[in-house]
Amino acid sequence: MSALVEELREIILRALPSNDENTTQLLIDKLVGSGLESKDDLQFVQQEDISDILPTIKLRKLLNAFKMESETVTLDLTSMQYTPSLSAGSSSPQPCSSMLVTTDGESSSLEDSRPSTSHFRKSWSNTFQVPWQLMPAEIQSALSSGKRPSPPARRQMVRVLADEMRKFEPTPTRAQCLTICKAIVHQYPQSFADQLHDGRVVGEGYSSLLAQIKNRIDNLSRTTSFRQHRSAGSGVKRGPTDTYGCTRFQPDLPLDETDVSIETKRQKLEDLYSQEGAKGAEKAEVEKLMETTFCLQRSQINSVPAPSVAELMEKWPYLFFQKGLFAHFELLTDINVLRALELSMEECGKNILEFFKSKPTNSEVKSILSKDEPIDSSYQIVQLLMAHFMEKQDELILQENMCATPADLEKTGNLPVSPRLILLGDNPGQWMKRWMISLEGRIICEGVQPTFLSGLAALFSLYYIFNLQYQEEAASTLEFLQRRFVGINPEKGTKAARGKVMSKKSGKTVQKKTITVSTKVSNLLKRLMDFEWHFI
């Protein structure tokens, strides 16, 4: 029973990484108490069975995870006989039998399972047999011990895997590669899943492996004819970007409130602002009223067509203070954004800095590291991330004169529509005394805490509070901050811009591919994880 409990705990935390221990234990007790005897029984769990423990969105996420767990894709990996004591000259371990992988968990002999040519191209990825016996010894050892292989061993594995896949089809599609990657990661998450240092899974866990295999196949297939190219099917529906990462996107009215009473409280907030101004933002009464009217704030922000920032500032002036942004973000996502950034910077900031010092990824990264100017370490790390992703700093962060006022900056007409953090100072280091946030070409917030991270937290919160997509020019940096620092890792969807975008290489308008985790982001996360595990 203890094994089942730990398995349940792992599944729940993968689906709901922000879940607290008490809620997780309540779920486990409820499931076990209802007669659950194995992981296969998860398919029988219904919404009403645990609706008293979780809010609706979290409940749906967990039930979807249960469904995925009960619909496992089973690989014949346990048949591989690995002996750690094999000498260096011994041959690689051989599988016990020639079996094929099937999506329903059943296996059949290789000779008896060859499909006809007409059926072959449709099903080969679902019945693909991973040639573990051809893999490097380090890969086989990693599978046996539940450890992560080194980057060179993993690259060798990808080469072998790609060669075997191309025996079935010269240019496997991304969907076919995904089927195989998903099965591998599901069977061996400790060795291959995209994970953060604390065990949280990034996205669905297989983005970096999928990117490696697809890149390898694309490189091998460059000489094939254009008619073999397969474009992604159009019309694929995605979940709304607006609700991405939110736990209370549109909450109901509090039980003891009505539409009229909530609107009365909103008007009271307006009156308090006209009387108290900025000083009122720190009052307990204002904090309570803002929390009570959260449902109305969400309703007006989510209305279609979307209201302008000017309209929202008039109706909800206290939302546009640092405290108001942080409080709204926490109610919306269950995350204290400033605390999350501070803790993550303490935990991994030094490792990220050391990674770039030991492995500068381009000339711009080297240039930033070579500067002797006094600078906040958090700011330097964000600069390095933007340099690594080849993103310009002014697409996210602007620097202005210390004496500049909101009116001065707005008069220039140079403030962009998308969010910017504006650091004020006459020379390096002084900007930490003051910062502002701009949106839709106007200043919407002036900082209280003179720290870079408080400004970054306020900037990041805007994308979720006001249902904004990440601007394409800074999307990779923002997604990295989202996944590694803030800890928002939904399995589906993305905040990155969709549809047609401007190609950085050609300068032409192209159709942007839809992926859950940016390949650039997943690759950097993987490299950082390898650096931490193998070099620190």
Side-chain angles (χ1 to χ4, degrees):
M1 183 60 71
S2 61
L4 175 61
V5 168
E6 289 306 311
E7 200 167 21
L8 284 174
R9 189 185 306 279
E10 185 178 327
I11 293 169
I12 292 169
L13 291 179
R14 275 205 305 268
L16 306 172
S18 62
N19 234 23
D20 60 76
E21 180 59 32
N22 290 336
T23 304
T24 301
Q25 191 59 49
L26 279 174
L27 286 167
I28 293 172
D29 293 342
K30 189 72 175 284
L31 291 169
V32 174
S34 65
L36 190 113
E37 297 178 339
S38 70
K39 189 170 70 171
D40 293 336
D41 291 343
L42 291 174
Q43 61 186 306
F44 303 115
V45 178
Q46 300 295 321
Q47 183 166 332
E48 56 268 21
D49 297 335
I50 51 177
S51 59
D52 58 331
I53 301 177
L54 293 173
T56 304
I57 298 300
K58 284 190 174 184
L59 180 60
R60 290 172 182 168
K61 287 182 179 180
L62 187 59
L63 289 176
N64 184 59
F66 285 172
K67 182 180 179 182
M68 292 177 66
E69 288 293 335
S70 58
E71 295 177 356
T72 55
V73 180
T74 306
L75 289 174
D76 182 34
L77 302 177
T78 55
S79 63
M80 184 181 68
Q81 294 179 325
Y82 174 72
T83 306
S85 60
L86 285 175
S87 64
S90 300
S91 60
S92 300
Q94 299 295 321
C96 295
S97 59
S98 296
M99 305 296 286
L100 289 175
V101 181
T102 60
T103 54
D104 57 5
E106 297 178 358
S107 299
S108 57
S109 68
L110 184 63
E111 291 78 8
D112 297 336
S113 301
R114 290 293 184 186
S116 62
T117 303
S118 61
H119 180 66
F120 189 63
R121 287 184 177 271
K122 296 180 181 179
S123 64
W124 73 265
S125 61
N126 292 326
T127 57
F128 179 75
Q129 183 182 18
V130 179
W132 298 110
Q133 72 279 7
L134 302 179
M135 299 298 178
E138 183 182 336
I139 292 291
Q140 299 176 27
S141 176
L143 299 184
S144 178
S145 61
K147 296 181 179 180
R148 297 188 73 82
S150 67
R154 177 165 158 148
R155 288 194 292 269
Q156 180 61 27
M157 182 196 86
V158 167
R159 286 193 286 269
V160 173
L161 192 56
D163 290 343
E164 289 298 309
M165 290 167 64
R166 294 182 77 240
K167 291 179 181 178
F168 290 79
E169 188 160 346
T171 54
T173 65
R174 186 178 187 277
Q176 290 166 334
C177 295
L178 187 149
T179 298
I180 294 167
C181 291
K182 189 174 182 179
I184 292 173
V185 170
H186 182 86
Q187 189 72 21
Y188 285 113
Q190 292 179 317
S191 297
F192 300 113
D194 298 333
Q195 294 178 324
L196 301 180
H197 70 292
D198 57 2
R200 285 178 294 159
V201 176
V202 178
E204 293 183 327
Y206 48 73
S207 294
S208 65
L209 181 60
L210 175 61
Q212 281 185 293
I213 291 176
K214 193 67 177 75
N215 287 341
R216 175 64 179 171
I217 286 173
D218 288 345
N219 289 337
L220 293 172
S221 305
R222 281 176 180 167
T223 57
T224 60
S225 62
F226 181 76
R227 66 176 180 273
Q228 291 177 309
H229 175 72
R230 293 172 174 82
S231 59
S234 59
V236 178
K237 294 182 179 180
R238 295 175 49 197
T241 302
D242 298 342
T243 61
Y244 179 83
C246 300
T247 56
R248 297 187 188 91
F249 181 72
Q250 187 53 73
D252 297 327
L253 282 168
L255 293 177
D256 53 348
E257 298 287 350
T258 65
D259 289 335
V260 174
S261 67
I262 288 292
E263 173 59 22
T264 300
K265 287 180 169 62
R266 186 199 68 77
Q267 292 175 5
K268 187 173 183 179
L269 282 165
E270 274 194 86
D271 293 339
L272 283 170
Y273 183 73
S274 64
Q275 297 167 14
E276 302 287 341
K279 292 187 296 183
E282 300 301 320
K283 287 196 169 186
E285 181 184 10
V286 170
E287 184 178 351
K288 179 63 177 176
L289 286 170
M290 288 295 289
E291 183 176 351
T292 304
T293 57
F294 175 73
C295 59
L296 183 57
Q297 295 170 44
R298 292 310 308 163
S299 177
Q300 294 183 356
I301 291 171
N302 297 338
S303 61
V304 178
S308 67
V309 167
E311 292 172 320
L312 290 171
M313 290 182 75
E314 185 176 344
K315 289 186 175 181
W316 302 100
Y318 283 120
L319 174 59
F320 294 85
F321 285 83
Q322 180 180 316
K323 188 172 183 178
L325 292 174
F326 291 170
H328 189 106
F329 184 89
E330 186 166 4
L331 288 170
L332 181 63
T333 64
D334 288 330
I335 295 172
N336 183 321
V337 63
L338 179 57
R339 186 61 179 150
L341 284 172
E342 289 174 340
L343 287 174
S344 295
M345 198 61 73
E346 290 175 9
E347 291 173 358
C348 65
K350 183 179 179 181
N351 287 342
I352 292 176
L353 192 56
E354 291 301 319
F355 168 80
F356 283 118
K357 285 181 178 178
S358 65
K359 300 180 178 181
T361 51
N362 58 44
S363 58
E364 186 60 27
V365 169
K366 292 179 181 179
S367 175
I368 292 171
L369 291 171
S370 66
K371 294 178 181 177
D372 294 327
E373 303 167 344
I375 190 171
D376 181 286
S377 61
S378 301
Y379 181 31
Q380 185 181 30
I381 287 169
V382 173
Q383 285 184 313
L384 289 170
L385 289 172
M386 297 200 77
H388 168 77
F389 291 126
M390 305 295 286
E391 295 174 339
K392 295 181 179 179
Q393 181 178 309
D394 59 9
E395 298 295 346
L396 193 65
I397 302 170
L398 303 176
Q399 289 191 324
E400 297 290 346
N401 187 282
M402 174 66 79
C403 299
T405 66
D408 293 335
L409 297 176
E410 291 174 357
K411 282 180 182 177
T412 65
N414 295 328
L415 295 178
V417 174
S418 53
R420 292 294 188 278
L421 171 60
I422 303 172
L423 308 177
L424 303 173
D426 296 323
N427 54 60
Q430 281 193 1
W431 55 260
M432 285 190 293
K433 296 178 181 177
R434 195 165 165 230
W435 56 261
M436 299 178 186
I437 300 290
S438 72
L439 177 62
E440 293 185 4
R442 63 182 299 164
I443 302 298
I444 65 165
C445 178
E446 294 186 70
V448 177
Q449 292 173 272
T451 64
F452 172 74
L453 279 184
S454 63
L456 184 65
L459 176 77
F460 185 83
S461 68
L462 298 186
Y463 294 94
Y464 289 80
I465 293 174
F466 299 114
N467 307 329
L468 306 175
Q469 292 182 336
Y470 298 148
Q471 56 262 40
E472 174 67 18
E473 298 80 7
S476 295
T477 299
L478 287 165
E479 184 177 344
F480 185 92
L481 293 173
Q482 166 209 315
R483 295 187 179 279
R484 183 61 188 86
F485 285 82
V486 183
I488 297 178
N489 279 298
E491 293 184 355
K492 302 291 184 182
T494 176
K495 273 282 186 184
R498 295 177 292 177
K500 294 185 177 181
V501 297
M502 185 70 71
S503 170
K504 293 181 180 179
K505 292 184 177 179
S506 65
K508 298 179 181 179
T509 301
V510 296
Q511 186 69 31
K512 182 178 175 63
K513 294 180 180 178
T514 300
I515 54 176
T516 297
V517 184
S518 161
T519 303
K520 293 180 181 179
V521 173
S522 63
N523 284 342
L524 180 58
L525 287 170
K526 176 189 171 297
R527 292 179 66 183
L528 285 168
M529 184 166 53
D530 290 337
F531 178 77
E532 291 172 2
W533 287 21
H534 294 283
F535 298 98
I536 298 299

mmCIF file with all atom_site columns, all heavy atoms in Angstrom, residues 302-314:
data_model
loop_
_atom_site.group_PDB
_atom_site.id
_atom_site.type_symbol
_atom_site.label_atom_id
_atom_site.label_alt_id
_atom_site.label_comp_id
_atom_site.label_asym_id
_atom_site.label_entity_id
_atom_site.label_seq_id
_atom_site.pdbx_PDB_ins_code
_atom_site.Cartn_x
_atom_site.Cartn_y
_atom_site.Cartn_z
_atom_site.occupancy
_atom_site.B_iso_or_equiv
_atom_site.pdbx_formal_charge
_atom_site.auth_seq_id
_atom_site.auth_comp_id
_atom_site.auth_asym_id
_atom_site.auth_atom_id
_atom_site.pdbx_PDB_model_num
ATOM 1  N N   . ASN A 1 302 ? -11.978 40.601 -18.156 1.00 0.00 ? 302 ASN A N   1
ATOM 2  C CA  . ASN A 1 302 ? -12.224 39.531 -19.131 1.00 0.00 ? 302 ASN A CA  1
ATOM 3  C C   . ASN A 1 302 ? -13.317 39.863 -20.135 1.00 0.00 ? 302 ASN A C   1
ATOM 4  O O   . ASN A 1 302 ? -13.582 39.061 -21.038 1.00 0.00 ? 302 ASN A O   1
ATOM 5  C CB  . ASN A 1 302 ? -12.616 38.236 -18.398 1.00 0.00 ? 302 ASN A CB  1
ATOM 6  C CG  . ASN A 1 302 ? -11.507 37.710 -17.506 1.00 0.00 ? 302 ASN A CG  1
ATOM 7  O OD1 . ASN A 1 302 ? -10.337 38.042 -17.705 1.00 0.00 ? 302 ASN A OD1 1
ATOM 8  N ND2 . ASN A 1 302 ? -11.856 36.906 -16.519 1.00 0.00 ? 302 ASN A ND2 1
ATOM 9  N N   . SER A 1 303 ? -13.968 41.005 -19.994 1.00 0.00 ? 303 SER A N   1
ATOM 10 C CA  . SER A 1 303 ? -15.077 41.336 -20.889 1.00 0.00 ? 303 SER A CA  1
ATOM 11 C C   . SER A 1 303 ? -14.590 41.489 -22.326 1.00 0.00 ? 303 SER A C   1
ATOM 12 O O   . SER A 1 303 ? -13.417 41.766 -22.582 1.00 0.00 ? 303 SER A O   1
ATOM 13 C CB  . SER A 1 303 ? -15.767 42.628 -20.430 1.00 0.00 ? 303 SER A CB  1
ATOM 14 O OG  . SER A 1 303 ? -14.858 43.724 -20.453 1.00 0.00 ? 303 SER A OG  1
ATOM 15 N N   . VAL A 1 304 ? -15.514 41.286 -23.265 1.00 0.00 ? 304 VAL A N   1
ATOM 16 C CA  . VAL A 1 304 ? -15.200 41.374 -24.697 1.00 0.00 ? 304 VAL A CA  1
ATOM 17 C C   . VAL A 1 304 ? -16.110 42.435 -25.321 1.00 0.00 ? 304 VAL A C   1
ATOM 18 O O   . VAL A 1 304 ? -17.328 42.375 -25.169 1.00 0.00 ? 304 VAL A O   1
ATOM 19 C CB  . VAL A 1 304 ? -15.413 40.020 -25.393 1.00 0.00 ? 304 VAL A CB  1
ATOM 20 C CG1 . VAL A 1 304 ? -15.129 40.132 -26.892 1.00 0.00 ? 304 VAL A CG1 1
ATOM 21 C CG2 . VAL A 1 304 ? -14.538 38.953 -24.750 1.00 0.00 ? 304 VAL A CG2 1
ATOM 22 N N   . PRO A 1 305 ? -15.522 43.427 -26.005 1.00 0.00 ? 305 PRO A N   1
ATOM 23 C CA  . PRO A 1 305 ? -14.080 43.636 -26.224 1.00 0.00 ? 305 PRO A CA  1
ATOM 24 C C   . PRO A 1 305 ? -13.374 44.060 -24.942 1.00 0.00 ? 305 PRO A C   1
ATOM 25 O O   . PRO A 1 305 ? -13.994 44.611 -24.032 1.00 0.00 ? 305 PRO A O   1
ATOM 26 C CB  . PRO A 1 305 ? -14.046 44.757 -27.262 1.00 0.00 ? 305 PRO A CB  1
ATOM 27 C CG  . PRO A 1 305 ? -15.322 45.505 -27.037 1.00 0.00 ? 305 PRO A CG  1
ATOM 28 C CD  . PRO A 1 305 ? -16.343 44.476 -26.646 1.00 0.00 ? 305 PRO A CD  1
ATOM 29 N N   . ALA A 1 306 ? -12.079 43.792 -24.890 1.00 0.00 ? 306 ALA A N   1
ATOM 30 C CA  . ALA A 1 306 ? -11.308 44.079 -23.683 1.00 0.00 ? 306 ALA A CA  1
ATOM 31 C C   . ALA A 1 306 ? -11.260 45.578 -23.422 1.00 0.00 ? 306 ALA A C   1
ATOM 32 O O   . ALA A 1 306 ? -11.072 46.372 -24.345 1.00 0.00 ? 306 ALA A O   1
ATOM 33 C CB  . ALA A 1 306 ? -9.899  43.533 -23.834 1.00 0.00 ? 306 ALA A CB  1
ATOM 34 N N   . PRO A 1 307 ? -11.429 45.992 -22.183 1.00 0.00 ? 307 PRO A N   1
ATOM 35 C CA  . PRO A 1 307 ? -11.348 47.422 -21.861 1.00 0.00 ? 307 PRO A CA  1
ATOM 36 C C   . PRO A 1 307 ? -9.916  47.925 -21.972 1.00 0.00 ? 307 PRO A C   1
ATOM 37 O O   . PRO A 1 307 ? -8.957  47.151 -21.855 1.00 0.00 ? 307 PRO A O   1
ATOM 38 C CB  . PRO A 1 307 ? -11.839 47.474 -20.410 1.00 0.00 ? 307 PRO A CB  1
ATOM 39 C CG  . PRO A 1 307 ? -11.484 46.127 -19.853 1.00 0.00 ? 307 PRO A CG  1
ATOM 40 C CD  . PRO A 1 307 ? -11.652 45.164 -20.991 1.00 0.00 ? 307 PRO A CD  1
ATOM 41 N N   . SER A 1 308 ? -9.763  49.212 -22.183 1.00 0.00 ? 308 SER A N   1
ATOM 42 C CA  . SER A 1 308 ? -8.425  49.794 -22.237 1.00 0.00 ? 308 SER A CA  1
ATOM 43 C C   . SER A 1 308 ? -7.864  49.913 -20.831 1.00 0.00 ? 308 SER A C   1
ATOM 44 O O   . SER A 1 308 ? -8.603  49.866 -19.832 1.00 0.00 ? 308 SER A O   1
ATOM 45 C CB  . SER A 1 308 ? -8.477  51.180 -22.887 1.00 0.00 ? 308 SER A CB  1
ATOM 46 O OG  . SER A 1 308 ? -9.185  52.093 -22.046 1.00 0.00 ? 308 SER A OG  1
ATOM 47 N N   . VAL A 1 309 ? -6.554  50.087 -20.738 1.00 0.00 ? 309 VAL A N   1
ATOM 48 C CA  . VAL A 1 309 ? -5.919  50.277 -19.438 1.00 0.00 ? 309 VAL A CA  1
ATOM 49 C C   . VAL A 1 309 ? -6.442  51.550 -18.782 1.00 0.00 ? 309 VAL A C   1
ATOM 50 O O   . VAL A 1 309 ? -6.661  51.593 -17.561 1.00 0.00 ? 309 VAL A O   1
ATOM 51 C CB  . VAL A 1 309 ? -4.384  50.347 -19.605 1.00 0.00 ? 309 VAL A CB  1
ATOM 52 C CG1 . VAL A 1 309 ? -3.731  50.864 -18.335 1.00 0.00 ? 309 VAL A CG1 1
ATOM 53 C CG2 . VAL A 1 309 ? -3.833  48.973 -19.944 1.00 0.00 ? 309 VAL A CG2 1
ATOM 54 N N   . ALA A 1 310 ? -6.684  52.591 -19.581 1.00 0.00 ? 310 ALA A N   1
ATOM 55 C CA  . ALA A 1 310 ? -7.189  53.853 -19.032 1.00 0.00 ? 310 ALA A CA  1
ATOM 56 C C   . ALA A 1 310 ? -8.539  53.653 -18.356 1.00 0.00 ? 310 ALA A C   1
ATOM 57 O O   . ALA A 1 310 ? -8.802  54.201 -17.274 1.00 0.00 ? 310 ALA A O   1
ATOM 58 C CB  . ALA A 1 310 ? -7.299  54.897 -20.150 1.00 0.00 ? 310 ALA A CB  1
ATOM 59 N N   . GLU A 1 311 ? -9.417  52.855 -18.974 1.00 0.00 ? 311 GLU A N   1
ATOM 60 C CA  . GLU A 1 311 ? -10.732 52.585 -18.397 1.00 0.00 ? 311 GLU A CA  1
ATOM 61 C C   . GLU A 1 311 ? -10.603 51.811 -17.081 1.00 0.00 ? 311 GLU A C   1
ATOM 62 O O   . GLU A 1 311 ? -11.301 52.111 -16.099 1.00 0.00 ? 311 GLU A O   1
ATOM 63 C CB  . GLU A 1 311 ? -11.583 51.791 -19.382 1.00 0.00 ? 311 GLU A CB  1
ATOM 64 C CG  . GLU A 1 311 ? -11.979 52.568 -20.617 1.00 0.00 ? 311 GLU A CG  1
ATOM 65 C CD  . GLU A 1 311 ? -12.645 51.701 -21.663 1.00 0.00 ? 311 GLU A CD  1
ATOM 66 O OE1 . GLU A 1 311 ? -12.210 50.545 -21.876 1.00 0.00 ? 311 GLU A OE1 1
ATOM 67 O OE2 . GLU A 1 311 ? -13.609 52.180 -22.289 1.00 0.00 ? 311 GLU A OE2 1
ATOM 68 N N   . LEU A 1 312 ? -9.712  50.828 -17.057 1.00 0.00 ? 312 LEU A N   1
ATOM 69 C CA  . LEU A 1 312 ? -9.532  50.031 -15.844 1.00 0.00 ? 312 LEU A CA  1
ATOM 70 C C   . LEU A 1 312 ? -8.901  50.856 -14.723 1.00 0.00 ? 312 LEU A C   1
ATOM 71 O O   . LEU A 1 312 ? -9.244  50.700 -13.551 1.00 0.00 ? 312 LEU A O   1
ATOM 72 C CB  . LEU A 1 312 ? -8.666  48.802 -16.149 1.00 0.00 ? 312 LEU A CB  1
ATOM 73 C CG  . LEU A 1 312 ? -9.326  47.732 -17.025 1.00 0.00 ? 312 LEU A CG  1
ATOM 74 C CD1 . LEU A 1 312 ? -8.305  46.670 -17.433 1.00 0.00 ? 312 LEU A CD1 1
ATOM 75 C CD2 . LEU A 1 312 ? -10.498 47.072 -16.301 1.00 0.00 ? 312 LEU A CD2 1
ATOM 76 N N   . MET A 1 313 ? -7.990  51.754 -15.078 1.00 0.00 ? 313 MET A N   1
ATOM 77 C CA  . MET A 1 313 ? -7.355  52.603 -14.065 1.00 0.00 ? 313 MET A CA  1
ATOM 78 C C   . MET A 1 313 ? -8.381  53.532 -13.423 1.00 0.00 ? 313 MET A C   1
ATOM 79 O O   . MET A 1 313 ? -8.284  53.861 -12.236 1.00 0.00 ? 313 MET A O   1
ATOM 80 C CB  . MET A 1 313 ? -6.214  53.416 -14.685 1.00 0.00 ? 313 MET A CB  1
ATOM 81 C CG  . MET A 1 313 ? -5.010  52.582 -15.071 1.00 0.00 ? 313 MET A CG  1
ATOM 82 S SD  . MET A 1 313 ? -3.648  53.560 -15.753 1.00 0.00 ? 313 MET A SD  1
ATOM 83 C CE  . MET A 1 313 ? -2.996  54.316 -14.246 1.00 0.00 ? 313 MET A CE  1
ATOM 84 N N   . GLU A 1 314 ? -9.357  53.943 -14.198 1.00 0.00 ? 314 GLU A N   1
ATOM 85 C CA  . GLU A 1 314 ? -10.397 54.823 -13.660 1.00 0.00 ? 314 GLU A CA  1
ATOM 86 C C   . GLU A 1 314 ? -11.312 54.065 -12.700 1.00 0.00 ? 314 GLU A C   1
ATOM 87 O O   . GLU A 1 314 ? -11.704 54.593 -11.655 1.00 0.00 ? 314 GLU A O   1
ATOM 88 C CB  . GLU A 1 314 ? -11.210 55.408 -14.815 1.00 0.00 ? 314 GLU A CB  1
ATOM 89 C CG  . GLU A 1 314 ? -12.245 56.437 -14.368 1.00 0.00 ? 314 GLU A CG  1
ATOM 90 C CD  . GLU A 1 314 ? -12.967 57.067 -15.545 1.00 0.00 ? 314 GLU A CD  1
ATOM 91 O OE1 . GLU A 1 314 ? -12.475 56.942 -16.684 1.00 0.00 ? 314 GLU A OE1 1
ATOM 92 O OE2 . GLU A 1 314 ? -14.023 57.674 -15.317 1.00 0.00 ? 314 GLU A OE2 1
#
